[in-house]
Amino acid sequence: MNPVKTSRKNLIPIITASSVGTLIEWYDFFIFGSLATIISTEFFPKENPAAAFLATLATFSAGFIVRPFGALVFGKMGDMVGRKYTFMITLILMGGSTIGIGLVPNYSSIGFFAPLIVLFLRLLQGLAIGGEYGGAATYIAEQAPENKRGLYTSWIQSTTGMAFILSVTVVLVVKNAMPSTSWINWGWRLPFLLSAFLVAISIYIRRKMTESPLFAKAKAEGKTSSNPLKESLTRKENLKMVLLAFFALTLGGGTIAWIGFYAQSFILKILNVDYGQANTIIIIGILLGIPFFFFFGWLSDKIGRKYILLTGLLLGLIGCRPIFSAMYQVVDLHNKIEITTALKTNIQLQPEDSNLFTTTTNHYFTDGTILTEVSNQLTITNKRRTELTKTITLNNTDKWELIFLTFLLEFIFTVSYAPLAAYLVAMFPLRIRYTSLSLPYHLGYGIIGGMSPYLASYFVEKASEAHRPAYYLAGTTYPMVMMSISLLIGLIYLKEKSKNAITENTTTSIRDQIKKWTGIVWIALGLVVAWFNIFELGIPKIMSGNTEDIVFANIMLFIITPVVVLGLFIFGKYCLQGEYDSKVLAANTIDEE
């Protein structure tokens, strides 16, 4: 029971202020990804469009890599200074970085300084979001009634979907409000600059917030930590819970979160669906899924959070590949009948460049689908270079099928994400909660999940080059592996936090023996992951000399492998030492403040 009660009336502005600020920070973070296609042409060399797009995704992913560092820096500040002031700082840092990206000159003006400056600003964004989530989640949870923490913190969870819709909507509105040449030349910068207005609103709302009563009380009584970072990482009773949260929840959950984002890239880049139509599909699909954040948050207060979270992982594991396969089949032109007599071709000599011929060909299909092929043929010093782009405009039925499939991805995400904040809050003591909660969250949703869009696009690109029949599904392998690990560890090790929890059937003694000796499995898995990532994926790719391969190899060798392998070794060691036995965990149980 809460020793410091916050009335329902006072909780409304608390939830509003926290959620609006978090939504705006996520908007700032997502807007980069929503404009990845045009950013790749503005800040990177245009000679190799595929490489430029992958480089843009790598820059986008860089923001995820530093999120755990932001969690450590701002988590420590939040546990020592206070929740309110810390995420006020993260808000300003995020807004300033986003505005900065909108002002950076393009590659043709300042060369390689352009991507370097953008990368630096993207890293600042990652630091900011690394400090935001933990603060907002703990701030609400510490003031919500224990039996409604799932429902109230689900507002924070829903901001990811809302912010993604906001970012895509702003892009579409601005793009459609001006000529295409203006959009390409300067209009794409406006969604970044809009952040100044949004951040100003959020600062106005948040400046009236008071400190979390629980934290204020603990600070007044001298019960806060003098070094929360050290306590979180060097004390076994805390570190083992950080590792459990990471492997059982955020490792797999993080990849589910970013599968939805990858769906936008999949529909645009692989299925070649019209830009406006593709983003409309994404917006409606996610919008339909948002109410389920609140439903599953509420449900977790009634029946417990563990099994809802694990159900999300299971649904992601069994549904990910079929959903993307269905998306591909809906758009695949091989499944459609072309009206050959309706073929239209138009050849134009571009007035601004006498060496550039543009050929536009429209293919019409019996179901109403339209394929537009634009071939730009440029002749320079008797050498001819041709660039071909394809755009598919879907019929209404196919469009709604893709909306439904996008909704299914969002629905799976809500199941795996809605109760997460409430569950994580209950795993850690108040004195180090901001730090301890933020670290596993941003390791999983930042590094492991954040790499998903880049790695998925890379695997699809390589599978396509190898002419594999189902190349478009190659991007699902990485997230499915991570979901499998989390689901298995979650089933074995997680305990239910809710007092209304579903009764577990496995006897305690047998369960503890399973927990202990499967530690060998996790250590062995760590060795397998290390060997495969180093000798099968890492070194061979570096030796290839190909830029995309080298970037991929560095991600696997120096980011994914150290985090997963070192974590599995320590986690397995703690398992063998009996640190996750029921009696030991009971002794470390965190009382609900």
Side-chain angles (χ1 to χ4, degrees):
M1 184 177 292
N2 292 349
V4 181
K5 294 184 179 180
T6 302
S7 68
R8 184 175 180 180
K9 181 179 179 181
N10 290 334
L11 270 172
I12 294 175
I14 288 170
I15 294 171
T16 301
S18 300
S19 300
V20 168
T22 305
L23 183 149
I24 291 170
E25 288 214 36
W26 279 120
Y27 165 83
D28 287 352
F29 201 70
F30 285 148
I31 200 69
F32 189 98
S34 298
L35 291 168
T37 303
I38 195 166
I39 286 173
S40 67
T41 64
E42 289 294 317
F43 296 130
F44 294 91
K46 299 181 180 181
E47 288 78 12
N48 189 337
F53 183 71
L54 283 174
T56 303
L57 286 182
T59 304
F60 177 74
S61 299
F64 296 97
I65 296 171
V66 299
R67 276 172 58 176
F69 297 101
L72 295 178
V73 172
F74 293 111
K76 180 178 179 180
M77 185 183 299
D79 282 326
M80 294 179 66
V81 179
R83 279 69 162 127
K84 171 190 172 181
Y85 296 104
T86 301
F87 58 59
M88 183 70 84
I89 293 173
T90 64
L91 177 66
I92 295 171
L93 180 61
M94 174 65 83
S97 302
T98 305
I99 296 167
I101 292 175
L103 297 173
V104 176
N106 57 24
Y107 184 86
S108 61
S109 299
I110 60 173
F112 278 103
F113 285 106
L116 288 177
I117 294 172
V118 170
L119 176 61
F120 173 73
L121 293 171
R122 184 64 186 164
L123 293 176
L124 291 181
Q125 285 187 320
L127 289 173
I129 205 68
E132 168 67 20
Y133 176 84
T138 56
Y139 189 78
I140 291 179
E142 288 173 355
Q143 300 183 74
E146 182 185 337
N147 64 348
K148 291 187 177 180
R149 281 184 174 177
L151 175 60
Y152 289 159
T153 56
S154 66
W155 284 90
I156 290 295
Q157 306 304 86
S158 70
T159 57
T160 53
M162 293 179 183
F164 189 61
I165 290 175
L166 179 62
S167 67
V168 174
T169 302
V170 167
V171 169
L172 284 177
V173 170
V174 174
K175 185 174 186 292
N176 292 330
M178 60 180 64
S180 58
T181 53
S182 298
W183 166 254
I184 293 172
N185 291 334
W186 57 268
W188 61 269
R189 296 180 182 272
L190 295 180
F192 288 101
L193 300 179
L194 177 64
S195 179
F197 174 69
L198 297 176
V199 169
I201 293 176
S202 187
I203 290 175
Y204 175 78
I205 295 174
R206 280 191 171 183
R207 68 185 180 87
K208 296 181 179 181
M209 296 167 63
T210 58
E211 187 53 81
S212 160
L214 282 175
F215 179 81
K217 182 175 183 292
K219 190 172 183 179
E221 295 173 353
K223 293 181 179 179
T224 55
S225 174
S226 60
N227 195 335
L229 180 56
K230 183 178 180 181
E231 280 194 50
S232 296
L233 298 180
T234 61
R235 282 186 154 181
K236 184 185 292 187
E237 63 268 26
N238 295 325
L239 179 57
K240 71 182 181 184
M241 300 309 291
V242 169
L243 290 170
L244 180 60
F246 172 56
F247 283 111
L249 294 170
T250 67
L251 181 81
T255 56
I256 291 177
W258 292 102
I259 282 176
F261 176 81
Y262 171 65
Q264 183 194 38
S265 175
F266 184 83
I267 294 172
L268 280 170
K269 301 292 290 185
I270 296 175
L271 303 186
N272 297 310
V273 174
D274 171 74
Y275 185 87
Q277 199 173 54
N279 283 298
T280 300
I281 288 167
I282 293 292
I283 289 172
I284 298 175
I286 293 178
L287 193 61
L288 291 173
I290 283 178
F292 290 94
F293 281 109
F294 310 115
F295 172 75
F296 288 112
W298 168 83
L299 186 63
S300 74
D301 289 325
K302 304 299 181 183
I303 67 172
R305 318 195 201 285
K306 169 184 172 179
Y307 293 102
I308 295 177
L309 290 165
L310 295 183
T311 298
L313 288 169
L314 178 62
L315 291 175
L317 183 61
I318 64 178
C320 173
R321 193 175 180 89
I323 289 173
F324 279 98
S325 178
M327 283 182 169
Y328 187 86
Q329 296 305 319
V330 167
V331 183
D332 189 3
L333 297 179
H334 293 96
N335 299 329
K336 304 177 186 294
I337 301 173
E338 184 177 356
I339 307 172
T340 54
T341 56
L343 184 71
K344 293 182 179 180
T345 301
N346 180 37
I347 302 176
Q348 281 186 315
L349 177 64
Q350 298 300 320
E352 66 273 11
D353 190 343
S354 58
N355 295 315
L356 178 62
F357 285 88
T358 299
T359 303
T360 303
T361 305
N362 290 320
H363 302 260
Y364 298 88
F365 296 81
T366 55
D367 66 350
T369 300
I370 302 173
L371 167 64
T372 302
E373 294 180 312
V374 179
S375 175
N376 290 317
Q377 193 174 86
L378 181 64
T379 304
I380 303 177
T381 61
N382 297 325
K383 292 183 179 180
R384 185 175 298 172
R385 188 177 72 185
T386 302
E387 293 181 358
L388 178 66
T389 59
K390 298 180 179 181
T391 301
I392 295 176
T393 304
L394 300 172
N395 61 64
N396 203 47
T397 301
D398 288 349
K399 184 181 76 172
W400 279 101
E401 281 193 47
L402 283 188
I403 288 172
F404 175 71
L405 293 168
T406 303
F407 160 73
L408 289 181
L409 290 174
E410 182 68 8
F411 176 82
I412 292 171
F413 176 45
T414 64
V415 182
S416 69
Y417 194 62
L420 181 66
Y423 192 95
L424 290 175
V425 164
M427 292 182 75
F428 304 104
L430 183 145
R431 57 188 283 113
I432 59 168
R433 179 173 289 157
Y434 199 143
T435 303
S436 297
L437 180 155
S438 298
L439 183 56
Y441 176 83
H442 290 294
L443 283 173
Y445 284 80
I447 289 182
I448 303 301
M451 294 297 106
S452 294
Y454 176 84
L455 294 177
S457 297
Y458 174 85
F459 285 134
V460 169
E461 183 76 20
K462 293 302 173 182
S464 177
E465 290 176 2
H467 303 291
R468 296 176 185 170
Y471 73 94
Y472 50 89
L473 296 178
T476 63
T477 303
Y478 169 78
M480 289 175 67
V481 170
M482 298 303 177
M483 283 182 250
S484 300
I485 296 173
S486 278
L487 181 60
L488 186 56
I489 291 178
L491 285 170
I492 297 173
Y493 294 91
L494 286 182
K495 61 175 291 186
E496 188 56 77
K497 294 291 179 181
S498 171
K499 292 182 180 179
N500 300 318
I502 298 172
T503 302
E504 299 183 24
N505 296 318
T506 309
T507 62
T508 300
S509 59
I510 295 176
R511 190 180 181 87
D512 284 344
Q513 289 300 310
I514 294 173
K515 287 180 181 180
K516 181 177 181 179
W517 293 110
T518 48
I520 297 173
V521 174
W522 312 129
I523 293 174
L525 180 61
L527 291 172
V528 171
V529 171
W531 180 86
F532 185 78
N533 285 359
I534 294 172
F535 297 105
E536 293 293 323
L537 296 179
I539 294 176
K541 297 296 184 183
I542 287 180
M543 299 300 291
S544 72
N546 184 285
T547 303
E548 305 100 275
D549 291 342
I550 292 173
V551 172
F552 167 79
N554 279 298
I555 289 174
M556 298 306 296
L557 287 175
F558 303 113
I559 299 173
I560 303 294
T561 301
V563 171
V564 175
V565 172
L566 181 60
L568 283 171
F569 285 166
I570 301 174
F571 181 67
K573 175 187 172 184
Y574 284 167
C575 293
L576 292 173
Q577 291 174 347
E579 289 296 329
Y580 296 104
D581 289 356
S582 300
K583 290 182 179 180
V584 177
L585 287 179
N588 297 142
T589 297
I590 306 303
D591 293 328
E592 300 288 356
E593 291 91 348

